[in-house]
Coordinates of all heavy atoms in Angstrom, one line a residue:
S214 N -4.2 3.0 27.4 CA -5.2 1.9 27.5 C -6.6 2.5 27.6 O -6.8 3.5 28.3 CB -4.9 1.0 28.7 OG -3.8 0.1 28.3
T215 N -7.5 1.9 26.8 CA -8.9 2.5 26.8 C -9.8 1.4 27.2 O -9.6 0.2 26.9 CB -9.3 3.0 25.4 OG1 -9.5 1.8 24.6 CG2 -8.2 3.9 24.8
E218 N -14.1 -0.9 31.4 CA -14.0 -2.0 32.4 C -12.7 -2.0 33.1 O -12.5 -2.7 34.0 CB -14.2 -3.3 31.7 CG -13.1 -3.8 30.8 CD -13.0 -3.1 29.5 OE1 -13.3 -2.0 29.3 OE2 -12.4 -3.8 28.5
L219 N -11.7 -1.1 32.7 CA -10.4 -1.2 33.2 C -10.2 -0.4 34.5 O -10.8 0.7 34.7 CB -9.4 -0.6 32.2 CG -9.4 -1.4 30.9 CD1 -8.3 -0.7 30.0 CD2 -9.0 -2.8 31.0
I231 N -11.8 -5.3 35.2 CA -10.6 -6.0 35.2 C -9.4 -5.0 35.3 O -9.6 -3.8 35.1 CB -10.3 -6.8 33.9 CG1 -10.4 -5.9 32.6 CG2 -11.3 -8.0 33.8 CD1 -9.7 -6.6 31.4
R232 N -8.3 -5.5 35.8 CA -7.1 -4.6 36.0 C -6.5 -4.3 34.6 O -6.5 -5.2 33.7 CB -6.1 -5.2 36.9 CG -6.6 -5.3 38.3 CD -5.4 -5.6 39.2 NE -5.9 -5.7 40.6 CZ -6.2 -6.8 41.2 NH1 -6.1 -8.0 40.6 NH2 -6.6 -6.8 42.5
N233 N -6.0 -3.1 34.5 CA -5.3 -2.7 33.3 C -3.9 -3.4 33.3 O -2.9 -2.8 33.8 CB -5.2 -1.2 33.2 CG -4.2 -0.7 32.1 OD1 -3.9 -1.5 31.2 ND2 -3.8 0.5 32.2
S234 N -3.8 -4.6 32.7 CA -2.5 -5.3 32.7 C -1.7 -4.9 31.5 O -0.5 -5.0 31.5 CB -2.7 -6.8 32.6 OG -3.6 -7.2 31.6
S235 N -2.4 -4.4 30.4 CA -1.7 -4.2 29.2 C -0.7 -3.0 29.2 O 0.3 -3.0 28.6 CB -2.7 -4.0 28.0 OG -3.4 -5.1 27.8
S236 N -1.1 -1.9 30.0 CA -0.1 -0.8 30.1 C 1.2 -1.2 30.6 O 2.3 -0.8 30.1 CB -0.7 0.3 30.9 OG -1.8 1.0 30.2
T279 N -4.4 0.9 23.3 CA -5.0 -0.4 23.3 C -6.5 -0.4 23.5 O -7.0 0.4 24.3 CB -4.3 -1.3 24.4 OG1 -4.9 -0.9 25.7 CG2 -2.9 -1.2 24.4
G280 N -7.1 -1.3 22.9 CA -8.6 -1.5 23.0 C -9.3 -0.5 22.1 O -8.8 0.5 21.6
G281 N -10.6 -0.7 22.0 CA -11.5 0.2 21.3 C -11.3 0.3 19.8 O -11.8 1.2 19.2
V282 N -10.7 -0.8 19.2 CA -10.5 -0.7 17.7 C -11.3 -1.8 17.0 O -11.2 -2.0 15.8 CB -9.0 -0.8 17.3 CG1 -8.3 0.5 17.7 CG2 -8.3 -2.0 17.9
S283 N -12.1 -2.6 17.8 CA -12.9 -3.6 17.1 C -14.2 -3.0 16.6 O -14.3 -1.8 16.5 CB -13.2 -4.7 18.1 OG -12.0 -5.2 18.7
D288 N -16.4 0.9 20.5 CA -15.0 0.9 20.0 C -14.9 2.2 19.3 O -15.1 2.4 18.1 CB -14.7 -0.3 19.1 CG -14.7 -1.6 19.9 OD1 -14.2 -1.5 21.1 OD2 -15.1 -2.6 19.4
P340 N -5.4 -4.1 19.3 CA -6.6 -4.7 19.9 C -6.4 -4.9 21.4 O -5.3 -5.1 21.9 CB -6.7 -6.0 19.1 CG -5.8 -5.8 17.9 CD -4.7 -4.9 18.3
G341 N -7.5 -4.8 22.1 CA -7.4 -4.8 23.6 C -7.0 -6.1 24.3 O -6.4 -6.0 25.3
N342 N -7.3 -7.2 23.7 CA -6.9 -8.4 24.3 C -5.4 -8.5 24.5 O -4.7 -8.2 23.5 CB -7.4 -9.6 23.5 CG -8.8 -10.1 24.0 OD1 -9.0 -10.2 25.2 ND2 -9.7 -10.3 23.0
P343 N -4.9 -8.9 25.7 CA -3.5 -8.8 25.9 C -2.6 -9.6 25.0 O -1.6 -9.1 24.6 CB -3.4 -9.3 27.4 CG -4.7 -9.1 28.0 CD -5.7 -9.2 26.9
Ligands
AMP501 P1 -11.5 -4.2 23.2 O1 -10.4 -4.4 22.1 O2 -11.5 -2.9 23.8 O3 -12.8 -4.7 22.7 O4 -11.0 -5.2 24.3 C1 -10.9 -6.6 24.1 C2 -10.7 -7.4 25.4 O5 -9.5 -7.0 25.9 C3 -11.7 -7.1 26.4 O6 -12.1 -8.3 27.1 C4 -11.1 -6.1 27.3 O7 -11.6 -6.1 28.7 C5 -9.6 -6.6 27.3 N1 -8.7 -5.4 27.5 C6 -8.7 -4.3 26.9 N2 -7.8 -3.4 27.3 C7 -7.2 -4.1 28.3 C8 -6.1 -3.8 29.1 N3 -5.5 -2.6 29.1 N4 -5.6 -4.7 30.0 C9 -6.3 -5.9 30.1 N5 -7.3 -6.3 29.3 C10 -7.7 -5.4 28.4

Side-chain angles (χ1 to χ4, degrees):
S214 280
T215 73
E218 75 281 30
L219 300 180
I231 57 163
R232 292 196 179 93
N233 170 17
S234 54
S235 295
S236 287
T279 75
V282 289
S283 304
D288 288 324
N342 269 312

